[in-house]
Amino acid sequence: MTGSAVAGSPEASAFPGERPVTPEAVREHNLNELEYGRILELLGRAPTMTELGVFSALWSEHCSYKHSRPVLRTFPTTGPQVVQGPGENAGVLRLPGGWAVAFKIESHNHPSAVEPYQGAATGVGGILRDVFTMGARPVALLNSLRFGPLDHPRNRYLFAGVVRGVGDYGNCVGVPTLGGEVAFAPGYTGNPLVNAMCVGLLRESDLIRAAAEGVGNVLLAVGARTGRDGIHGASFASEELSEKSEARRPQVQVGDPFTEKLLLEASLELITSGLIVAIQDMGAAGLTSSSAEMAARGGVGVEIDTGLVPTREEGMTPYEILLSESQERMLVVATPTRVAEVQRVCEKWELSATPIGRVTDDGIFRVKHHGLTVAAIPGQRLVDDCPIYHPEARESEEARSRRSAVPPLPPKVDLQNALELLLDSPNIASKRWVYEQYDSTVQASTVLGPGGDAGVLRVPGTDFGLAVTVDCNARLVALDPYEGGKAAVAEAARNVACTGARPLGITDCLNFGNPEKPDVFFQFREACRGIAEACAAFDTPVTGGNVSFYNESPTGAIDPTPAIGMVGLLERVERRVPSHFAAPGDDVLILGTTRGELGGSAYWAEIRDFVGGRVPSVDLEAERRLQEFLVAAAGRGLLRSAHDAAEGGLLVALAEAAIGGPYAASGVGAVLDLERYAPRVALEGLLYGEDAGRVVLSADPADGAALAELARAHAVPLFRAGRTGGSALELRAASRVLSWDVEALRRPYFEAIPRRMQHADAERSAGE
């Protein structure tokens, strides 16, 4: 593969000792013939190996979105609350009083599969930087984690390592973890998912965007030195996992949260003091993506000398320096007259700020190494000209047949004993083992921590707060991607509204298998269609996110998992509503309609060993009315607790409300009469069906009339089921009385995961 430059095209030379570009080298860089042909046409000559590495990184799925971009354009992304939508490091929504919230979710799946601790830790580090480069101080972390079943030693190892990595990094930086979700299913055994979300607060006037501007302005590398860790991290994230993936371990980045804290403080000072023009995290594809994308956003060129970049190791080549994904690094643009001031701020925070290049007017992404030009690429085309693909989308016959099937086996246990088995399932059981490893109270703004429907924090110096959550029921998406996509947004919005907050907007992390397979792309397209419709119905625009494809291992693709991160505004933070029964003597009320739909339910999966059936449909208008009722009722102080009925159905929601919070000394029982509630629904479906749009409330009996009137005004079905009190959860329905001791339910609920993870502790001890 050789060629000569056409007239007027920028010249570049191979770095001494660099491999020639051969067909084998092109394949190794995950570029196909169409893409390589586009490169030859763009350059008018053969690329150098350094240039090939640049194209490989920026044209990877992870950076270019070449299979997903047309679908993502269908998302609603605008609204009066949107300050910054997709296309920047993080989305930004408007809050009262000149405040704004920046938030984003990203995946770090493949690195965590081969090195769980560092893979998860650096995922947290990366998402923190995405938020504080907008000028926002991080105030909350969340995560969405998926693993194979815990009876498998490798899954326990990955689970333990990921949780420790997430906790250690966030705790060291001093950002509270306020919520998240953890789920387990066979499809994640070879490919765990690690999605990290960060929420930050800023004054809207302090918002900064990552666009390089001003010809002659200086590019500075700020923060940690560049090493060889993480090279080809973006391309690694854009291929299927295999038995060879373990060899990728050296490509997993290594995090240093203490440097991250210094970088955070230095970056915010540089932004708020007005010393810099732009700032960008050196994340996926490192210096390559940060410099090229900043230049493209600003419509300018850049010239970098990699020989000036501070490195950790001797003899690093331009190729390695450009593609390294070493952590805790920023690229800053400043006017020449401000460089010394920028350096003084960084020195105060014990960081270096090294000039490595400048903004140019020729539109070229140019890389030199001690004067030798090793890359010269038209910058806008480098970012924008990756071929866009429109894969075939076709649902598989297996998926259609699974949706129309019914359980072939009878229940393992009766309806009475099924509840305890469900509460002992790691998917439903308390995740206290996870979040007790996280600091959820640092910064002293947390008012509702992990263990409920959503985390809530106070915006300092104000009367209002934010509710934050991450949600996705992947089992529903696998069975019906369209309804599952709608359900993920609806559950996130319901969880936020249960705290009394009004949903504002979402960020998404769309985890799927290989998009080149028609059944996978069908899942992706249909899930996005459902997400788009739900966001439009709820006025919750998509402000950005991440697509993670190629989540496949030799055992197959993961269940499609579009994790939805949502923020909501709680206008009076003192009116926040917890998830658990507060005290005896309160009315227990059920919102919504129960039809007893069991398709895709946890009951069928856990009690009848069957994943299938037609999933519940989501009535978006009914969900919107339910959200508005919850916000209005909370705002008037009419609610003692609110908890959505989701996985496990109505009975699990009632049991969780009775069990109480993770650190409560005891729960609060209830006596309930459901004889007149949904009388045509079979008892199995009444107790364990997973119909959408339902919430369990508790309230002062004196407020019953006001709640009933409010429910009528919002056209939300409301049923008074009974009253809290006693030490048992007692339920009358279908001429039967079922009763469970609350303390007996608390044991499996809180002990399910620790009991299984004792094996991991024993295995680790044996290994030591």
Side-chain angles (χ1 to χ4, degrees), residues 87-419:
E88 278 284 344
N89 289 299
V92 181
L93 298 176
R94 185 169 289 113
L95 298 175
W99 286 94
V101 56
F103 66 117
K104 178 80 173 292
I105 189 169
E106 282 266 5
S107 63
H108 229 222
N109 302 336
H110 283 30
S112 301
V114 299
E115 218 310 304
Y117 180 84
Q118 290 294 350
T122 52
V124 173
I127 201 64
L128 283 165
R129 293 191 296 279
D130 279 344
V131 165
F132 68 72
T133 52
M134 303 300 294
R137 178 170 292 278
V139 293
L141 289 165
L142 300 95
N143 50 75
S144 175
L145 311 176
R146 297 290 194 283
F147 304 91
L150 290 178
D151 57 3
H152 192 293
R154 175 73 179 177
N155 294 332
R156 293 195 295 271
Y157 160 75
L158 293 171
F159 180 40
V162 163
V163 170
R164 194 160 50 89
V166 167
D168 284 0
Y169 204 100
N171 295 352
C172 289
V173 178
V175 180
T177 299
L178 287 193
E181 57 169 3
V182 186
F184 307 89
Y188 303 108
T189 292
N191 198 136
L193 301 185
V194 177
N195 298 172
M197 177 177 169
C198 182
V199 179
L201 289 171
L202 70 156
R203 306 298 296 185
E204 190 175 332
S205 58
D206 288 335
L207 174 66
I208 189 168
R209 294 177 170 88
E213 296 173 345
V215 174
N217 282 344
V218 179
L219 304 179
L220 298 101
V222 175
R225 289 176 171 266
T226 297
R228 289 189 169 96
D229 54 319
I231 294 173
H232 287 308
S235 58
F236 177 34
S238 306
E239 62 186 47
E240 295 179 16
L241 289 169
S242 68
E243 293 176 359
K244 297 179 181 178
S245 296
E246 194 67 23
R248 293 281 205 167
R249 187 180 293 269
Q251 293 172 0
V252 177
Q253 307 94 323
V254 178
D256 178 359
F258 300 104
T259 300
E260 179 94 346
K261 174 63 173 173
L262 299 174
L263 189 61
L264 185 161
E265 298 298 343
S267 298
L268 292 180
E269 184 170 341
L270 291 172
I271 292 166
T272 56
S273 62
L275 289 176
I276 61 176
V277 174
I279 184 170
Q280 171 85 9
D281 168 37
M282 293 193 207
L287 178 57
T288 294
S289 65
S290 56
S291 56
E293 290 171 5
M294 288 177 82
R297 289 190 189 109
V300 295
V302 291
E303 181 175 293
I304 297 167
D305 192 329
T306 51
L308 302 176
V309 176
T311 58
R312 289 201 303 262
E313 303 174 49
E314 292 291 329
M316 287 187 68
T317 66
Y319 180 103
E320 293 171 325
I321 293 167
L322 284 171
L323 298 181
S324 167
E325 294 184 12
S326 294
Q327 295 290 285
E328 294 88 39
R329 300 178 302 154
M330 289 288 181
L331 186 64
V332 166
V333 181
T335 62
T337 58
R338 290 291 183 89
V339 169
E341 292 176 86
V342 170
Q343 289 176 320
R344 279 196 293 272
V345 169
C346 291
E347 286 169 7
K348 184 178 81 171
W349 294 103
E350 302 177 13
L351 299 172
S352 64
T354 306
I356 62 167
R358 62 189 178 91
V359 177
T360 63
D361 62 359
D362 62 1
I364 300 299
F365 175 78
R366 183 176 286 104
V367 180
K368 296 185 175 183
H369 194 83
H370 297 308
L372 176 68
T373 299
V374 295
I377 307 169
Q380 198 75 46
R381 295 190 65 185
L382 170 63
V383 173
D384 294 339
D385 267 20
C386 177
I388 298 300
Y389 299 99
H390 300 269
E392 180 185 359
R394 185 180 66 252
E395 187 172 27
S396 69
E397 286 293 337
E398 179 191 3
R400 282 194 288 269
S401 62
R402 193 167 63 237
R403 194 163 54 243
S404 62
V406 295
L409 300 174
K412 298 176 186 176
V413 294
D414 61 20
L415 295 176
Q416 168 85 32
N417 292 307
L419 176 60

Side-chain angles (χ1 to χ4, degrees), residues 585-590 670-674 697-699 701 719-725 730:
D586 286 340
D587 278 350
V588 177
L589 306 112
I590 301 170
V671 178
L672 310 171
D673 188 344
L674 301 184
L697 303 178
S698 66
F719 178 81
R720 184 188 176 280
R723 190 159 287 184
T724 61
E730 184 177 306

